[in-house]
Amino acid sequence: MTDEPILTVENLKTQFFTEQGVVRAVDGISFDVYPGEIVGLVGESGAGKSVATSSVMRLVDNPGEIVGGEITYKNKTLVGFERAGDELVPRDEMLTNEEMRTQVRGNEIAIIFQDPMESLNPVYTIGHQLKEFILLNRELDKKAAREEAITMLREVGIPEPEERFDDYPHEFSGGMRQRVLIAMALACQPELIIADEPTTALDVTVEGQILELVKELQEEYGTSFLWVTHDMGVVAEICDRVNVMYLGEIVEQATVDELFYETQHPYTNALLNSIPRPDQTIEELVPIKGVMPEAINPPSGCRFHTRCPDAREVCTEIEPTYSEITTYDGWPHNASCLKHEDVGYDVSEPIENEARKGTEGTEVVQ
Amino acid sequence: MSDATTVGNDTGDIEAGETLMEIDHVSKYFSSGSGFLSGFFGSPDVKAVDDVSFEIKKGETIAVVGESGCGKSTLARTVLQLLRPTAGSVRYKGQDLTELSDKEIRPLRQNMQMIFQDPQSSLNPRMKIGQIVEEPMKAHGLYDSEGRTERAKVLLNKVGLDPSHYNRYPHEFSGGQRQRVNLARALSTDPDLIMCDEPVSALDVSIQAQVLNTMQELQDEFGVTYLFISHDLSVVRYIADRVAVMYLGQIAELANKEELFENPKHPYTEALLDAIPVPDPRATNARGTLEGDVPSPINPPSGCRFRTRCPKVIQPGALGKEPTDLPDEVQAARLQSYELEPAVWQDTLAFTRAVNRRSFVLDEGESDQTEISLPPEEVRTRLESLFFKNGWPEGEVERTINAAIDSLSNGEWEDAATLLSNTFEENSICAIEQPTYTVAPERGDIHVVNCHLHR
């Protein structure tokens, strides 16, 4: 831990102002990414993973808004606020939208999305799009940009790159398109790549190829990754450190080995117990009962108390503090659970919630 | 069955474990052309399912796994006669369904129900869930109106929903709950077989486990048979009794679950199992990544379909046994026996594929490798460092590779690729003969391995 983190996110809050009320999609999360690291962001759909990454890229769209927190990338302030009277206003050193576009997106931080078909323009050739991206972000002439584009296509394992250069996105398979997006992200030699579920839509063999490719490329270029996924298998395979998200909050953060073997939060534990394993036959899965509540009106106290098998009376009243439980090899292991706090969890009565009910998931989403 | 509320399997004309359906050499081809011109000129067929045979036993969960585009959904639809097969027969309790007309099949459909991947689009948003569950019973004229309502409520309870939600609409439920409504609907006619096409793929992991558990409980209670289509081997390992692995329209391997996962024989199954990320950071994962993409089913590779990506292609003439009943062209190919060291053969194969895919460069300075011109010696030195680390092949193989080097040194990649491919790939037994073998299983009672390594 001698290096400085290249990305620091502190107490980030992103909210969506809808007719039904304020959706607190990301509610005060903090994490950092060090050079050359793959950091995971895990959680079920609706946990706020993608909103968190869009906030880092400042791509949150109306009615969404970043309402608080600090995001620092190297020496640049991507998000920063100061108090002016009663309100929080953006600080002067916070990058303007134009500076975000010219200085950060693409050449410093690149992003790879889940659906490669939607990220590529169907009316331009693959080569054209890749070349345009290189021309915009790097000082190369047209010929050099074309050569760089072909080299990148070959690097990510596109067969016959000279000929495929002039093909359209629909002529590529899903895995190939995802490779093109990786080539695009790498072409501008960014220091950080945000990968938002990049392998979720792919077949296992293709996913395997992409994960291998990412590992190789990371060794070669030393790029850092912020890897968003819901797949604990992928996490175990490539991540160095992991953040587990539930309902807009990070509930646990640890190195990958600690997270799997010294799990501190009941949600992480339940998540690990609910997944079928490819490497062993499990007699009976233990599912997490119920469904994730809406972020518009999160449960009081600990947000997981409605589904937590270990929930007690006190969990409905006191909001747990996200704090360091242990350290491992210099890395902190953080979790937010009242079990680890001195607030009378041990003497509190267990509560009747969905985890203890006989039937599963009978409540209705209105 | 007289009482609408008894949800058990009634007509026990066959026992659990006996054959419910027999799928016999079933093929399904689609015409790839559209419009009337393609009718005149003829267009190549997409061989979505090609010569597939297996049995479904009563009360079991048989899973069909494979990558997208391998034909697993088409196979399932063909089994249920939602698509009529191009060739082959499907027998349900001994009765050949392919010979029946649509009208004759219709009454049989109450024994075969379906659940689809997307729980949202498979429920009519304008119908209440009670009506949705009653619909199949109505279609098959089962029970009177009150009996249907009563049965729908019983079923909703069985799948873990509150029967008092009978009058709610699908949008009021979450994804996992909607899939439960689908389950209740499928069970309403008391079917023998439920075809589940990726039933949990659209659900979150925690919800997946809930639905899978409910499916197993229902099977234990009603003795229903599942034909489970999935791409997720972890889910299959949890729910299935027997597993068929499909690749490009054909079954590569079929065995009991434990046998398939613990003792996989087909290189494709091995590759699939290797590819899944294991949720354990301490797992030592030596992954043999598969190269390339699945070939087009319009013009699938000859012989074994997997041979274009298989890491274990058998070198020409290298079969240990001498069966005398081989076709002439196989005998001819067998004469060219190279007897390379296994490592050198692997290198030769890797080199052949790399030339095909143009995945390496000979001249770093030139982006378009078809425009280079290099002396052959330089090409050879570069290839030696890239591919032939285990020594240079000798004899006839060396002559072929030298000829390919001459082509490469003039930038003629196509020529080199054709020559290498024709010599090394097309002459292998894997390219000449379609494999169909069974081996003695270590666990379970059946193990089909369609791979020449197990002849």
Side-chain angles (χ1 to χ4, degrees):
Chain A
M1 270 179 83
T2 50
D3 296 330
E4 288 292 303
I6 61 167
L7 179 76
T8 317
V9 176
E10 271 172 75
N11 202 19
L12 174 72
K13 287 185 181 171
T14 306
Q15 302 182 342
F16 287 80
F17 298 91
T18 66
E19 280 176 21
Q20 286 85 34
V22 179
V23 180
R24 294 152 77 177
V26 170
D27 206 15
I29 62 167
S30 306
F31 63 92
D32 45 22
V33 181
Y34 284 83
E37 232 190 349
I38 301 187
V39 173
L41 200 56
V42 208
E44 296 176 78
S45 43
K49 311 181 296 269
S50 292
V51 178
T53 54
S54 326
S55 304
V56 172
M57 291 297 264
R58 293 252 308 269
L59 288 171
V60 181
D61 238 346
N62 227 343
E65 207 180 303
I66 301 172
V67 296
E70 289 270 338
I71 302 177
T72 319
Y73 172 78
K74 291 205 274 189
N75 297 322
K76 299 188 169 92
T77 307
L78 305 192
V79 172
F81 292 95
E82 62 188 355
R83 196 162 282 283
D86 282 346
E87 280 182 52
L88 283 176
V89 291
R91 279 206 310 274
D92 286 345
E93 67 261 33
M94 183 165 141
L95 297 187
T96 62
N97 284 340
E98 161 135 27
E99 283 167 334
M100 272 308 284
R101 239 182 359 253
T102 54
Q103 293 177 18
V104 176
R105 283 185 213 133
N107 47 12
E108 289 285 352
I109 309 180
I111 186 159
I112 306 170
F113 291 104
Q114 175 173 356
D115 187 341
M117 195 63 210
E118 279 179 19
S119 318
L120 290 167
N121 190 331
V123 301
Y124 292 105
T125 61
I126 293 286
H128 178 93
Q129 296 182 52
L130 194 47
K131 200 173 78 182
E132 185 186 23
F133 195 67
I134 294 170
L135 282 173
L136 275 175
N137 287 300
R138 285 172 66 180
E139 285 166 13
L140 291 173
D141 63 33
K142 277 189 178 170
K143 187 165 183 298
R146 184 191 157 91
E147 278 179 14
E148 181 66 22
I150 291 176
T151 311
M152 286 320 298
L153 287 176
R154 182 176 287 113
E155 184 89 329
V156 297
I158 304 278
E160 304 177 46
E162 297 93 346
E163 274 156 40
R164 300 310 296 265
F165 187 84
D166 295 316
D167 281 356
Y168 288 90
H170 74 267
E171 294 172 275
F172 280 61
S173 67
M176 286 293 159
R177 279 183 219 135
Q178 201 57 280
R179 281 164 192 270
V180 171
L181 288 186
I182 292 175
M184 219 177 246
L186 285 168
C188 298
Q189 299 166 335
E191 289 196 38
L192 173 67
I193 294 182
I194 297 177
D196 193 350
E197 306 245 13
T199 60
T200 306
L202 305 176
D203 276 317
V204 274
T205 57
V206 186
E207 177 179 77
Q209 292 173 351
I210 301 279
L211 294 182
E212 287 297 307
L213 176 71
V214 165
K215 276 194 235 167
E216 271 172 37
L217 294 172
Q218 204 221 1
E219 266 167 42
E220 199 178 326
Y221 298 99
T223 318
S224 309
F225 280 85
L226 177 60
W227 198 280
V228 179
T229 182
H230 67 271
D231 187 336
M232 293 307 256
V234 174
V235 169
E237 178 138 350
I238 64 161
C239 290
D240 299 308
R241 288 190 303 139
V242 194
N243 300 288
V244 182
M245 277 190 88
Y246 185 78
L247 209 56
E249 291 177 338
I250 290 180
V251 294
E252 183 161 8
Q253 177 187 76
T255 59
V256 69
D257 195 79
E258 279 270 304
L259 189 90
F260 280 76
Y261 285 94
E262 300 292 334
T263 316
Q264 298 293 349
H265 198 282
Y267 175 64
T268 316
N269 209 15
L271 204 57
L272 289 171
N273 285 336
S274 70
I275 41 176
R277 301 277 301 231
D279 56 337
Q280 47 188 262
T281 305
I282 293 169
E283 279 308 310
E284 172 122 33
L285 286 177
V286 190
I288 307 178
K289 303 272 177 74
V291 290
M292 198 188 301
E294 301 268 295
I296 204 162
N297 188 13
S300 61
C302 170
R303 294 192 173 182
F304 188 51
H305 83 251
T306 55
R307 301 169 77 194
C308 180
D310 303 337
R312 301 202 175 168
E313 205 59 59
V314 62
C315 301
T316 62
E317 293 152 14
I318 301 174
E319 198 171 326
T321 334
Y322 180 64
S323 53
E324 192 169 311
I325 311 279
T326 52
T327 50
Y328 173 77
D329 210 9
W331 297 103
H333 188 152
N334 302 333
S336 54
C337 178
L338 292 181
K339 272 186 187 177
H340 307 293
E341 289 176 44
D342 194 15
V343 289
Y345 174 85
D346 294 332
V347 294
S348 186
E349 285 290 311
I351 54 163
E352 190 70 10
N353 65 4
E354 286 173 64
R356 294 207 181 81
K357 266 191 252 165
T359 52
E360 303 162 353
T362 44
E363 105 281 18
V364 166
V365 183
Q366 286 292 358
Chain B
M1 194 160 89
S2 51
D3 183 6
T5 52
T6 15
V7 264
N9 220 327
D10 53 332
T11 48
D13 51 344
I14 61 166
E15 294 288 313
E18 285 180 33
T19 305
L20 181 72
M21 292 193 100
E22 274 172 277
I23 291 88
D24 199 9
H25 297 285
V26 162
S27 299
K28 176 69 195 174
Y29 298 167
F30 295 102
S31 163
S32 65
S34 58
F36 82 108
L37 276 181
S38 68
F40 280 115
F41 300 114
S43 56
D45 285 335
V46 177
K47 293 172 179 156
V49 174
D50 203 8
D51 196 16
V52 168
S53 305
F54 67 99
E55 287 180 352
I56 301 173
K57 299 201 172 100
K58 184 154 173 75
E60 74 168 348
T61 302
I62 182 162
V64 180
V65 284
E67 296 173 88
S68 46
C70 74
K72 50 192 192 304
S73 290
T74 308
L75 174 66
R77 270 152 228 243
T78 313
V79 168
L80 295 198
Q81 302 295 309
L82 296 173
L83 292 168
R84 293 303 193 125
T86 313
S89 66
V90 176
R91 282 188 294 279
Y92 168 73
K93 293 182 180 170
Q95 188 175 18
D96 191 347
L97 299 179
T98 53
E99 285 173 358
L100 301 179
S101 69
D102 288 352
K103 206 176 164 191
E104 287 167 320
I105 287 182
R106 205 174 141 75
L108 289 174
R109 290 216 184 275
Q110 65 170 289
N111 298 315
M112 298 171 243
Q113 294 291 320
M114 283 143 280
I115 302 172
F116 295 101
Q117 174 170 3
D118 185 354
Q120 167 76 53
S121 59
S122 50
L123 297 174
N124 186 340
R126 290 164 169 246
M127 280 167 84
K128 294 171 179 167
I129 62 158
Q131 288 173 288
I132 290 174
V133 176
E134 283 178 32
E135 189 84 347
M137 296 186 267
K138 228 186 229 171
H140 289 289
L142 300 172
Y143 322 114
D144 55 12
S145 167
E146 274 165 36
R148 287 198 287 265
T149 309
E150 203 176 332
R151 185 174 163 84
K153 287 185 175 168
V154 171
L155 284 168
L156 286 176
N157 190 31
K158 291 280 181 199
V159 297
L161 293 171
D162 190 339
S164 65
H165 294 165
Y166 180 90
N167 280 324
R168 299 205 189 223
Y169 288 94
H171 75 264
E172 296 177 77
F173 294 86
S174 66
Q177 292 171 326
R178 286 189 202 133
Q179 205 58 299
R180 289 168 192 274
V181 176
N182 272 317
L183 263 171
R185 174 172 64 183
L187 284 167
S188 67
T189 60
D190 203 12
D192 290 315
L193 177 74
I194 300 182
M195 185 265 270
C196 319
D197 194 349
E198 305 263 14
V200 294
S201 314
L203 308 175
D204 255 321
V205 274
S206 67
I207 311 294
Q208 238 181 41
Q210 296 174 3
V211 173
L212 289 172
N213 280 351
T214 306
M215 285 180 69
Q216 275 196 336
E217 284 157 22
L218 294 171
Q219 183 171 48
D220 291 344
E221 194 170 344
F222 304 144
V224 63
T225 311
Y226 292 128
L227 174 59
F228 194 97
I229 314 293
S230 181
H231 71 278
D232 188 336
L233 283 147
S234 316
V235 168
V236 164
R237 180 158 196 168
Y238 179 60
I239 195 137
D241 297 310
R242 291 194 303 151
V243 184
V245 179
M246 269 189 95
Y247 183 78
L248 208 55
Q250 293 189 330
I251 287 182
E253 185 162 7
L254 190 155
N256 287 67
K257 169 174 72 179
E258 287 297 323
E259 171 82 358
L260 190 102
F261 280 89
E262 293 299 329
N263 189 20
K265 297 279 191 203
H266 199 287
Y268 178 60
T269 315
E270 289 172 10
L272 267 185
L273 291 175
D274 280 352
I276 326 172
V278 178
D280 180 355
R282 291 183 190 169
T284 44
N285 210 344
R287 170 180 289 154
T289 313
L290 278 185
E291 280 180 27
D293 270 347
V294 184
S296 156
I298 294 180
N299 191 10
S302 61
C304 171
R305 299 248 160 131
F306 185 53
R307 69 171 169 93
T308 53
R309 299 168 78 198
C310 182
K312 295 185 177 170
V313 172
I314 301 164
Q315 59 172 305
L319 279 174
K321 291 182 193 160
E322 282 292 334
T324 45
D325 54 349
L326 283 177
D328 286 347
E329 66 269 23
V330 183
Q331 289 290 8
R334 285 168 60 79
L335 292 177
Q336 303 179 354
S337 180
Y338 300 142
E339 290 169 11
L340 291 175
E341 289 289 320
V344 180
W345 164 244
Q346 286 294 328
D347 293 345
T348 313
L349 190 64
F351 169 59
T352 305
R353 287 177 179 168
V355 173
N356 258 319
R357 297 166 50 81
R358 290 190 211 163
S359 57
F360 64 100
V361 287
L362 290 170
D363 184 352
E364 303 276 5
E366 181 66 61
S367 74
D368 194 341
Q369 293 291 310
T370 57
E371 282 170 14
I372 53 161
S373 176
L374 286 172
E377 301 79 51
E378 237 175 80
V379 176
R380 188 180 157 124
T381 322
R382 176 126 178 95
L383 294 181
E384 237 177 84
S385 67
L386 279 175
F387 297 102
F388 296 99
K389 293 198 180 78
N390 299 301
W392 198 259
E394 287 170 357
E396 205 185 328
V397 181
E398 186 181 18
R399 279 194 290 284
T400 309
I401 292 181
N402 280 340
I405 288 176
D406 288 340
S407 302
L408 288 180
S409 67
N410 297 322
E412 291 155 354
W413 285 65
E414 297 268 336
D415 293 355
T418 316
L419 175 71
L420 289 169
S421 181
N422 280 345
T423 318
F424 299 121
E425 289 184 323
E426 304 298 326
N427 268 333
S428 163
I429 177 85
C430 300
I432 295 162
E433 203 182 84
Q434 197 164 311
T436 39
Y437 307 107
T438 48
V439 295
E442 281 175 21
R443 305 167 187 79
D445 47 15
I446 185 171
H447 198 153
V448 177
V449 191
N450 294 332
C451 173
H452 284 299
L453 287 169
H454 301 281
R455 59 190 288 132

